[in-house]
């Protein structure tokens, strides 16, 4: 049967490969935090979401315990999401800046968000084995998102995970290195460019390591690349 983003979403939600993460997601969903005491938490794996014809793929790390694991949508209902979607809205990649619930009307425009690991991990740290187990979903989305010309990796772990995925499919040479840095970008050939940013975690945004202006610069570079790519008629391979 032909794969589809809907099938990937269904398979992610039903996935039970990582007992440690599933236990954690359910525990957080049961115990909650005071400010969300009255809410029903999602408490399961969280699928990627966005525009099926996206030219921009955003790769994150994993859902947050009281963000995506509560609302069922990545970067939704937490400070990281507030930062990210406000920026995507400013850059024209989202129809609104508010991201508070799955049914809040948010639509991504020409963009798709996919986390490396789809379950909220303790201390926001999935193990390498958990990331490897979850890679299949990113691989399937990558195969289905045929129009992608730009990839934005949010943080070094996300960037490394994306590169590993491309190497496994022989899309990238096995040994060539790709340095991480905020604002750094790499030409991956055939019109595809990889952009790196610091992750919009509170640790980075509250300390000023990542500011809206610095993030906007990366999104502006992506928009320029997509414009140039459209003019050149680049096709994904
Ligand atoms: S992290 Fe990924 S592979 Fe592991 S249980 Fe969650 S969805 Fe499944």
């Amino acid at each position: 049967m032909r794969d589809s983003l809907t099938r990937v979403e269904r398979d992610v939600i039903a996935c039970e490969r990582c007992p440690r993460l599933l236990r954690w997601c359910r525990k957080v969903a049961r115990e909650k935090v005071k400010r969300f005491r009255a809410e029903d938490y999602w408490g399961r794996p969280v699928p990627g979401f966005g525009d099926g014809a996206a030219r921009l793929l955003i790769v994150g790390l994993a859902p947050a315990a009281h963000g995506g694991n509560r609302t069922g949508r990545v970067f939704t209902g937490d400070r990281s999401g507030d930062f990210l979607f406000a920026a995507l809205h400013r850059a024209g990649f989202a129809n609104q800046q508010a991201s508070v619930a799955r049914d809040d009307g948010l639509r991504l425009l020409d963009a798709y968000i996919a986390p490396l690991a789809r379950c909220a991990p303790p201390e926001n740290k999935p193990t390498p084995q958990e990331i490897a187990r979850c890679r299949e979903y990113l691989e399937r989305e990558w195969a289905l998102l045929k129009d992608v010309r730009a990839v934005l990796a949010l943080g070094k772990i996300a960037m490394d995970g994306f590169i590993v995925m491309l190497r496994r499919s022989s899309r990238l040479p096995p040994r060539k290195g790709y340095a991480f840095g905020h604002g750094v970008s790499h030409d991956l050939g055939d019109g595809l460019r990889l952009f790196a940013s610091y992750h919009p975690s509170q640790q980075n945004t509250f300390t000023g390591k990542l500011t809206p202006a610095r993030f906007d610069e990366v999104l502006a570079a992506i928009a320029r690349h997509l414009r140039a790519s459209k003019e050149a008629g680049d096709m994904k391979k």
Side-chain angles (χ1 to χ4, degrees), residues 115-128:
L116 274 191
R118 317 266 159 150
C119 291
E123 298 176 7
N124 293 321
K125 282 187 192 147
T127 65

Side-chain angles (χ1 to χ4, degrees), residues 92-110:
F93 290 111
N95 70 328
Q96 64 185 42
Q97 62 175 9
S99 172
V100 293
R102 276 166 72 87
D103 58 358
D104 60 10
L106 173 69
R107 276 188 302 113
L108 293 185
L109 309 171
D110 207 8

Side-chain angles (χ1 to χ4, degrees), residues 153 156 159 178-186 195-198 214 218:
K156 184 174 186 318
M159 184 168 134
Y178 297 91
F180 176 82
H182 182 80
V184 169
S185 76
H186 298 281
F195 296 81
S197 165
Y198 294 137
R214 293 197 78 193
V218 177

Side-chain angles (χ1 to χ4, degrees), residues 3-210:
D3 204 6
S4 68
L5 290 172
T6 305
R7 284 177 67 88
V8 178
E9 176 175 337
R10 192 192 64 196
D11 291 349
V12 166
I13 293 171
C15 184
E16 297 193 336
R17 288 180 196 160
C18 304
R20 182 187 84 110
L21 296 185
L22 292 170
R23 273 198 307 275
W24 174 253
C25 291
R26 289 172 190 148
K27 180 175 188 293
V28 170
R30 248 189 344 265
E31 296 178 356
K32 310 181 182 181
V33 281
K34 204 171 170 187
R35 65 188 184 283
F36 300 128
R37 184 69 67 208
E39 294 198 20
D40 285 333
Y41 275 51
W42 176 260
R44 286 173 281 163
V46 181
F49 86 104
D51 181 352
R55 290 180 303 154
L56 169 61
L57 171 65
I58 302 169
V59 182
L61 176 56
H66 301 286
N69 186 56
R70 174 174 59 89
T71 60
R73 196 174 67 194
V74 281
F75 285 109
T76 297
D78 60 25
R79 296 292 179 88
S80 301
D82 293 346
F83 183 100
L84 177 65
F85 289 114
L88 291 176
H89 182 242
R90 285 194 297 276
F93 290 111
N95 70 328
Q96 64 185 42
Q97 62 175 9
S99 172
V100 293
R102 276 166 72 87
D103 58 358
D104 60 10
L106 173 69
R107 276 188 302 113
L108 293 185
L109 309 171
D110 207 8
Y112 190 96
I113 299 184
L116 274 191
R118 317 266 159 150
C119 291
E123 298 176 7
N124 293 321
K125 282 187 192 147
T127 65
Q129 293 79 9
E130 288 159 350
I131 289 175
R133 268 183 229 130
C134 213
R135 188 177 299 125
E136 175 207 316
Y137 302 121
L138 183 60
E139 284 169 346
R140 288 168 63 187
E141 287 164 328
W142 177 251
L144 290 161
L145 294 166
K146 298 197 181 300
D147 297 318
V148 171
R149 306 284 180 277
V151 177
L152 171 59
L154 300 176
K156 184 174 186 318
I157 300 174
M159 184 168 134
D160 290 347
F162 176 73
I163 287 170
V164 166
M165 185 206 71
L166 286 192
R167 284 198 174 120
R168 280 169 48 90
S169 66
S170 304
R171 171 64 176 72
L172 290 180
R175 284 191 192 81
K176 184 175 174 355
Y178 297 91
F180 176 82
H182 182 80
V184 169
S185 76
H186 298 281
D187 180 1
L188 301 187
D190 299 320
L192 178 66
R193 184 165 279 275
L194 171 62
F195 296 81
S197 165
Y198 294 137
H199 190 280
S201 63
Q202 287 189 53
Q203 202 180 347
N204 289 333
T205 56
F206 278 22
T207 56
K209 184 174 178 180
L210 181 61

